[in-house]
PDB file of all heavy atoms in Angstrom:
ATOM      1  N   GLY A  26     -32.515  -7.832  -4.165  1.00 96.00           N
ATOM      2  CA  GLY A  26     -33.025  -8.261  -2.872  1.00 96.00           C
ATOM      3  C   GLY A  26     -32.617  -7.384  -1.712  1.00 96.00           C
ATOM      4  O   GLY A  26     -32.906  -7.716  -0.549  1.00 96.00           O
ATOM      5  N   ASP A  27     -31.964  -6.259  -1.968  1.00 97.00           N
ATOM      6  CA  ASP A  27     -31.485  -5.365  -0.907  1.00 97.00           C
ATOM      7  C   ASP A  27     -32.671  -4.795  -0.121  1.00 97.00           C
ATOM      8  O   ASP A  27     -33.582  -4.200  -0.692  1.00 97.00           O
ATOM      9  CB  ASP A  27     -30.673  -4.235  -1.542  1.00 97.00           C
ATOM     10  CG  ASP A  27     -29.846  -3.459  -0.531  1.00 97.00           C
ATOM     11  OD1 ASP A  27     -30.169  -3.494   0.671  1.00 97.00           O
ATOM     12  OD2 ASP A  27     -28.872  -2.809  -0.951  1.00 97.00           O
ATOM     13  N   LEU A  28     -32.651  -4.966   1.201  1.00 96.00           N
ATOM     14  CA  LEU A  28     -33.710  -4.453   2.072  1.00 96.00           C
ATOM     15  C   LEU A  28     -33.196  -3.371   3.015  1.00 96.00           C
ATOM     16  O   LEU A  28     -33.917  -2.947   3.926  1.00 96.00           O
ATOM     17  CB  LEU A  28     -34.318  -5.602   2.902  1.00 96.00           C
ATOM     18  CG  LEU A  28     -34.931  -6.765   2.111  1.00 96.00           C
ATOM     19  CD1 LEU A  28     -35.462  -7.826   3.065  1.00 96.00           C
ATOM     20  CD2 LEU A  28     -36.028  -6.270   1.192  1.00 96.00           C
ATOM     21  N   GLY A  29     -31.967  -2.911   2.827  1.00 97.00           N
ATOM     22  CA  GLY A  29     -31.407  -1.925   3.729  1.00 97.00           C
ATOM     23  C   GLY A  29     -30.874  -2.552   5.000  1.00 97.00           C
ATOM     24  O   GLY A  29     -30.952  -3.768   5.203  1.00 97.00           O
ATOM     25  N   GLY A  30     -30.320  -1.721   5.877  1.00 97.00           N
ATOM     26  CA  GLY A  30     -29.788  -2.200   7.136  1.00 97.00           C
ATOM     27  C   GLY A  30     -30.802  -2.065   8.261  1.00 97.00           C
ATOM     28  O   GLY A  30     -31.823  -1.393   8.125  1.00 97.00           O
ATOM     29  N   SER A  31     -30.522  -2.687   9.389  1.00 95.00           N
ATOM     30  CA  SER A  31     -31.454  -2.616  10.519  1.00 95.00           C
ATOM     31  C   SER A  31     -31.231  -1.360  11.358  1.00 95.00           C
ATOM     32  O   SER A  31     -32.184  -0.754  11.838  1.00 95.00           O
ATOM     33  CB  SER A  31     -31.304  -3.867  11.398  1.00 95.00           C
ATOM     34  OG  SER A  31     -29.977  -3.965  11.902  1.00 95.00           O
ATOM     35  N   ARG A  32     -29.960  -0.950  11.525  1.00 93.00           N
ATOM     36  CA  ARG A  32     -29.660   0.298  12.233  1.00 93.00           C
ATOM     37  C   ARG A  32     -28.948   1.273  11.294  1.00 93.00           C
ATOM     38  O   ARG A  32     -29.448   2.357  11.031  1.00 93.00           O
ATOM     39  CB  ARG A  32     -28.793   0.006  13.460  1.00 93.00           C
ATOM     40  CG  ARG A  32     -29.519  -0.761  14.559  1.00 93.00           C
ATOM     41  CD  ARG A  32     -28.655  -0.909  15.799  1.00 93.00           C
ATOM     42  NE  ARG A  32     -27.435  -1.664  15.521  1.00 93.00           N
ATOM     43  CZ  ARG A  32     -27.356  -2.990  15.622  1.00 93.00           C
ATOM     44  NH1 ARG A  32     -28.415  -3.708  15.966  1.00 93.00           N
ATOM     45  NH2 ARG A  32     -26.213  -3.608  15.376  1.00 93.00           N
ATOM     46  N   THR A  33     -27.802   0.883  10.818  1.00 97.00           N
ATOM     47  CA  THR A  33     -27.094   1.675   9.812  1.00 97.00           C
ATOM     48  C   THR A  33     -27.725   1.434   8.447  1.00 97.00           C
ATOM     49  O   THR A  33     -28.113   0.313   8.127  1.00 97.00           O
ATOM     50  CB  THR A  33     -25.609   1.269   9.780  1.00 97.00           C
ATOM     51  OG1 THR A  33     -25.063   1.416  11.089  1.00 97.00           O
ATOM     52  CG2 THR A  33     -24.825   2.125   8.805  1.00 97.00           C
ATOM     53  N   LEU A  34     -27.835   2.498   7.647  1.00 98.00           N
ATOM     54  CA  LEU A  34     -28.412   2.428   6.303  1.00 98.00           C
ATOM     55  C   LEU A  34     -29.847   1.886   6.315  1.00 98.00           C
ATOM     56  O   LEU A  34     -30.241   1.091   5.467  1.00 98.00           O
ATOM     57  CB  LEU A  34     -27.530   1.574   5.369  1.00 98.00           C
ATOM     58  CG  LEU A  34     -26.143   2.143   5.055  1.00 98.00           C
ATOM     59  CD1 LEU A  34     -25.351   1.180   4.174  1.00 98.00           C
ATOM     60  CD2 LEU A  34     -26.249   3.507   4.371  1.00 98.00           C
ATOM     61  N   GLN A  35     -30.642   2.353   7.245  1.00 96.00           N
ATOM     62  CA  GLN A  35     -32.057   1.978   7.257  1.00 96.00           C
ATOM     63  C   GLN A  35     -32.740   2.538   6.009  1.00 96.00           C
ATOM     64  O   GLN A  35     -32.637   3.715   5.717  1.00 96.00           O
ATOM     65  CB  GLN A  35     -32.753   2.531   8.505  1.00 96.00           C
ATOM     66  CG  GLN A  35     -32.381   1.836   9.784  1.00 96.00           C
ATOM     67  CD  GLN A  35     -33.200   2.345  10.964  1.00 96.00           C
ATOM     68  OE1 GLN A  35     -34.114   3.142  10.798  1.00 96.00           O
ATOM     69  NE2 GLN A  35     -32.873   1.879  12.157  1.00 96.00           N
ATOM     70  N   LYS A  36     -33.426   1.658   5.283  1.00 95.00           N
ATOM     71  CA  LYS A  36     -34.118   2.010   4.042  1.00 95.00           C
ATOM     72  C   LYS A  36     -33.188   2.674   3.034  1.00 95.00           C
ATOM     73  O   LYS A  36     -33.618   3.433   2.177  1.00 95.00           O
ATOM     74  CB  LYS A  36     -35.328   2.903   4.324  1.00 95.00           C
ATOM     75  CG  LYS A  36     -36.406   2.210   5.140  1.00 95.00           C
ATOM     76  CD  LYS A  36     -37.651   3.063   5.264  1.00 95.00           C
ATOM     77  CE  LYS A  36     -38.745   2.326   6.033  1.00 95.00           C
ATOM     78  NZ  LYS A  36     -39.978   3.131   6.172  1.00 95.00           N
ATOM     79  N   LYS A  37     -31.894   2.382   3.154  1.00 97.00           N
ATOM     80  CA  LYS A  37     -30.888   2.859   2.198  1.00 97.00           C
ATOM     81  C   LYS A  37     -30.193   1.638   1.601  1.00 97.00           C
ATOM     82  O   LYS A  37     -30.105   0.577   2.226  1.00 97.00           O
ATOM     83  CB  LYS A  37     -29.859   3.752   2.899  1.00 97.00           C
ATOM     84  CG  LYS A  37     -30.441   4.949   3.644  1.00 97.00           C
ATOM     85  CD  LYS A  37     -31.019   5.976   2.703  1.00 97.00           C
ATOM     86  CE  LYS A  37     -31.668   7.129   3.462  1.00 97.00           C
ATOM     87  NZ  LYS A  37     -30.702   7.854   4.308  1.00 97.00           N
ATOM     88  N   TRP A  38     -29.701   1.800   0.394  1.00 98.00           N
ATOM     89  CA  TRP A  38     -29.023   0.689  -0.266  1.00 98.00           C
ATOM     90  C   TRP A  38     -27.792   0.265   0.530  1.00 98.00           C
ATOM     91  O   TRP A  38     -26.938   1.081   0.859  1.00 98.00           O
ATOM     92  CB  TRP A  38     -28.598   1.081  -1.674  1.00 98.00           C
ATOM     93  CG  TRP A  38     -29.706   1.432  -2.599  1.00 98.00           C
ATOM     94  CD1 TRP A  38     -29.994   2.668  -3.112  1.00 98.00           C
ATOM     95  CD2 TRP A  38     -30.669   0.542  -3.168  1.00 98.00           C
ATOM     96  NE1 TRP A  38     -31.077   2.606  -3.941  1.00 98.00           N
ATOM     97  CE2 TRP A  38     -31.517   1.311  -4.000  1.00 98.00           C
ATOM     98  CE3 TRP A  38     -30.903  -0.824  -3.044  1.00 98.00           C
ATOM     99  CZ2 TRP A  38     -32.566   0.755  -4.703  1.00 98.00           C
ATOM    100  CZ3 TRP A  38     -31.966  -1.381  -3.745  1.00 98.00           C
ATOM    101  CH2 TRP A  38     -32.782  -0.598  -4.568  1.00 98.00           C
ATOM    102  N   THR A  39     -27.692  -1.004   0.793  1.00 98.00           N
ATOM    103  CA  THR A  39     -26.454  -1.548   1.362  1.00 98.00           C
ATOM    104  C   THR A  39     -25.540  -2.069   0.265  1.00 98.00           C
ATOM    105  O   THR A  39     -24.379  -2.400   0.526  1.00 98.00           O
ATOM    106  CB  THR A  39     -26.756  -2.694   2.343  1.00 98.00           C
ATOM    107  OG1 THR A  39     -27.268  -3.824   1.614  1.00 98.00           O
ATOM    108  CG2 THR A  39     -27.765  -2.275   3.391  1.00 98.00           C
ATOM    109  N   THR A  40     -26.066  -2.156  -0.952  1.00 98.00           N
ATOM    110  CA  THR A  40     -25.307  -2.750  -2.057  1.00 98.00           C
ATOM    111  C   THR A  40     -24.931  -1.726  -3.120  1.00 98.00           C
ATOM    112  O   THR A  40     -24.403  -2.100  -4.166  1.00 98.00           O
ATOM    113  CB  THR A  40     -26.122  -3.882  -2.715  1.00 98.00           C
ATOM    114  OG1 THR A  40     -27.401  -3.361  -3.132  1.00 98.00           O
ATOM    115  CG2 THR A  40     -26.330  -5.023  -1.749  1.00 98.00           C
ATOM    116  N   PHE A  41     -25.205  -0.440  -2.878  1.00 98.00           N
ATOM    117  CA  PHE A  41     -24.868   0.568  -3.892  1.00 98.00           C
ATOM    118  C   PHE A  41     -23.355   0.678  -4.030  1.00 98.00           C
ATOM    119  O   PHE A  41     -22.631   0.918  -3.074  1.00 98.00           O
ATOM    120  CB  PHE A  41     -25.441   1.933  -3.510  1.00 98.00           C
ATOM    121  CG  PHE A  41     -25.017   3.037  -4.446  1.00 98.00           C
ATOM    122  CD1 PHE A  41     -25.671   3.215  -5.655  1.00 98.00           C
ATOM    123  CD2 PHE A  41     -23.949   3.870  -4.137  1.00 98.00           C
ATOM    124  CE1 PHE A  41     -25.280   4.222  -6.528  1.00 98.00           C
ATOM    125  CE2 PHE A  41     -23.552   4.880  -5.002  1.00 98.00           C
ATOM    126  CZ  PHE A  41     -24.221   5.051  -6.203  1.00 98.00           C
ATOM    127  N   GLN A  42     -22.886   0.477  -5.247  1.00 98.00           N
ATOM    128  CA  GLN A  42     -21.480   0.670  -5.594  1.00 98.00           C
ATOM    129  C   GLN A  42     -21.421   1.324  -6.963  1.00 98.00           C
ATOM    130  O   GLN A  42     -22.314   1.139  -7.795  1.00 98.00           O
ATOM    131  CB  GLN A  42     -20.729  -0.658  -5.630  1.00 98.00           C
ATOM    132  CG  GLN A  42     -20.600  -1.348  -4.282  1.00 98.00           C
ATOM    133  CD  GLN A  42     -19.839  -2.666  -4.398  1.00 98.00           C
ATOM    134  OE1 GLN A  42     -20.196  -3.531  -5.183  1.00 98.00           O
ATOM    135  NE2 GLN A  42     -18.792  -2.812  -3.611  1.00 98.00           N
ATOM    136  N   LYS A  43     -20.372   2.065  -7.194  1.00 98.00           N
ATOM    137  CA  LYS A  43     -20.205   2.699  -8.499  1.00 98.00           C
ATOM    138  C   LYS A  43     -18.749   2.614  -8.916  1.00 98.00           C
ATOM    139  O   LYS A  43     -17.847   2.480  -8.078  1.00 98.00           O
ATOM    140  CB  LYS A  43     -20.680   4.156  -8.472  1.00 98.00           C
ATOM    141  CG  LYS A  43     -19.849   5.067  -7.579  1.00 98.00           C
ATOM    142  CD  LYS A  43     -20.368   6.498  -7.610  1.00 98.00           C
ATOM    143  CE  LYS A  43     -19.488   7.419  -6.752  1.00 98.00           C
ATOM    144  NZ  LYS A  43     -19.974   8.825  -6.782  1.00 98.00           N
ATOM    145  N   ALA A  44     -18.537   2.677 -10.226  1.00 98.00           N
ATOM    146  CA  ALA A  44     -17.188   2.606 -10.781  1.00 98.00           C
ATOM    147  C   ALA A  44     -17.134   3.469 -12.028  1.00 98.00           C
ATOM    148  O   ALA A  44     -18.168   3.825 -12.612  1.00 98.00           O
ATOM    149  CB  ALA A  44     -16.810   1.165 -11.114  1.00 98.00           C
ATOM    150  N   ARG A  45     -15.939   3.780 -12.432  1.00 97.00           N
ATOM    151  CA  ARG A  45     -15.774   4.618 -13.619  1.00 97.00           C
ATOM    152  C   ARG A  45     -15.840   3.773 -14.879  1.00 97.00           C
ATOM    153  O   ARG A  45     -15.251   2.682 -14.945  1.00 97.00           O
ATOM    154  CB  ARG A  45     -14.436   5.353 -13.556  1.00 97.00           C
ATOM    155  CG  ARG A  45     -14.245   6.340 -14.699  1.00 97.00           C
ATOM    156  CD  ARG A  45     -13.008   7.187 -14.487  1.00 97.00           C
ATOM    157  NE  ARG A  45     -12.735   8.013 -15.655  1.00 97.00           N
ATOM    158  CZ  ARG A  45     -11.693   8.831 -15.774  1.00 97.00           C
ATOM    159  NH1 ARG A  45     -10.828   8.921 -14.759  1.00 97.00           N
ATOM    160  NH2 ARG A  45     -11.505   9.533 -16.874  1.00 97.00           N
ATOM    161  N   LEU A  46     -16.548   4.281 -15.862  1.00 97.00           N
ATOM    162  CA  LEU A  46     -16.543   3.712 -17.211  1.00 97.00           C
ATOM    163  C   LEU A  46     -15.491   4.463 -18.010  1.00 97.00           C
ATOM    164  O   LEU A  46     -15.636   5.658 -18.275  1.00 97.00           O
ATOM    165  CB  LEU A  46     -17.909   3.878 -17.885  1.00 97.00           C
ATOM    166  CG  LEU A  46     -19.023   2.899 -17.552  1.00 97.00           C
ATOM    167  CD1 LEU A  46     -20.275   3.275 -18.344  1.00 97.00           C
ATOM    168  CD2 LEU A  46     -18.621   1.463 -17.861  1.00 97.00           C
ATOM    169  N   ASP A  47     -14.436   3.787 -18.381  1.00 96.00           N
ATOM    170  CA  ASP A  47     -13.329   4.423 -19.078  1.00 96.00           C
ATOM    171  C   ASP A  47     -13.389   4.070 -20.558  1.00 96.00           C
ATOM    172  O   ASP A  47     -13.236   2.907 -20.937  1.00 96.00           O
ATOM    173  CB  ASP A  47     -11.998   3.966 -18.477  1.00 96.00           C
ATOM    174  CG  ASP A  47     -10.809   4.694 -19.059  1.00 96.00           C
ATOM    175  OD1 ASP A  47     -10.499   4.473 -20.246  1.00 96.00           O
ATOM    176  OD2 ASP A  47     -10.177   5.477 -18.338  1.00 96.00           O
ATOM    177  N   CYS A  48     -13.643   5.063 -21.376  1.00 96.00           N
ATOM    178  CA  CYS A  48     -13.619   4.923 -22.842  1.00 96.00           C
ATOM    179  C   CYS A  48     -12.504   5.845 -23.316  1.00 96.00           C
ATOM    180  O   CYS A  48     -12.655   7.068 -23.300  1.00 96.00           O
ATOM    181  CB  CYS A  48     -14.974   5.324 -23.431  1.00 96.00           C
ATOM    182  SG  CYS A  48     -15.083   5.248 -25.238  1.00 96.00           S
ATOM    183  N   SER A  49     -11.374   5.271 -23.703  1.00 93.00           N
ATOM    184  CA  SER A  49     -10.210   6.121 -23.912  1.00 93.00           C
ATOM    185  C   SER A  49      -9.239   5.546 -24.926  1.00 93.00           C
ATOM    186  O   SER A  49      -9.303   4.369 -25.300  1.00 93.00           O
ATOM    187  CB  SER A  49      -9.477   6.336 -22.581  1.00 93.00           C
ATOM    188  OG  SER A  49      -8.969   5.107 -22.092  1.00 93.00           O
ATOM    189  N   LEU A  50      -8.328   6.413 -25.343  1.00 90.00           N
ATOM    190  CA  LEU A  50      -7.161   6.053 -26.151  1.00 90.00           C
ATOM    191  C   LEU A  50      -5.940   6.392 -25.308  1.00 90.00           C
ATOM    192  O   LEU A  50      -5.404   7.509 -25.377  1.00 90.00           O
ATOM    193  CB  LEU A  50      -7.138   6.842 -27.460  1.00 90.00           C
ATOM    194  CG  LEU A  50      -8.288   6.580 -28.437  1.00 90.00           C
ATOM    195  CD1 LEU A  50      -8.278   7.601 -29.555  1.00 90.00           C
ATOM    196  CD2 LEU A  50      -8.189   5.174 -28.994  1.00 90.00           C
TER     197      LEU A  50
END
């Protein structure tokens, strides 16, 4: 449902987040 911001992040994701996928020993 992200519609972006009204001034900041116009037509940009306001909910974009990323994290590391750790596959390790």
Side-chain angles (χ1 to χ4, degrees):
D27 194 339
L28 301 179
S31 60
R32 292 185 298 271
T33 304
L34 294 178
Q35 288 185 6
K36 296 187 177 180
K37 304 291 177 61
W38 298 111
T39 68
T40 56
F41 175 81
Q42 294 180 305
K43 66 179 182 179
R45 185 172 173 182
L46 279 180
D47 186 291
C48 178
S49 64
L50 296 169

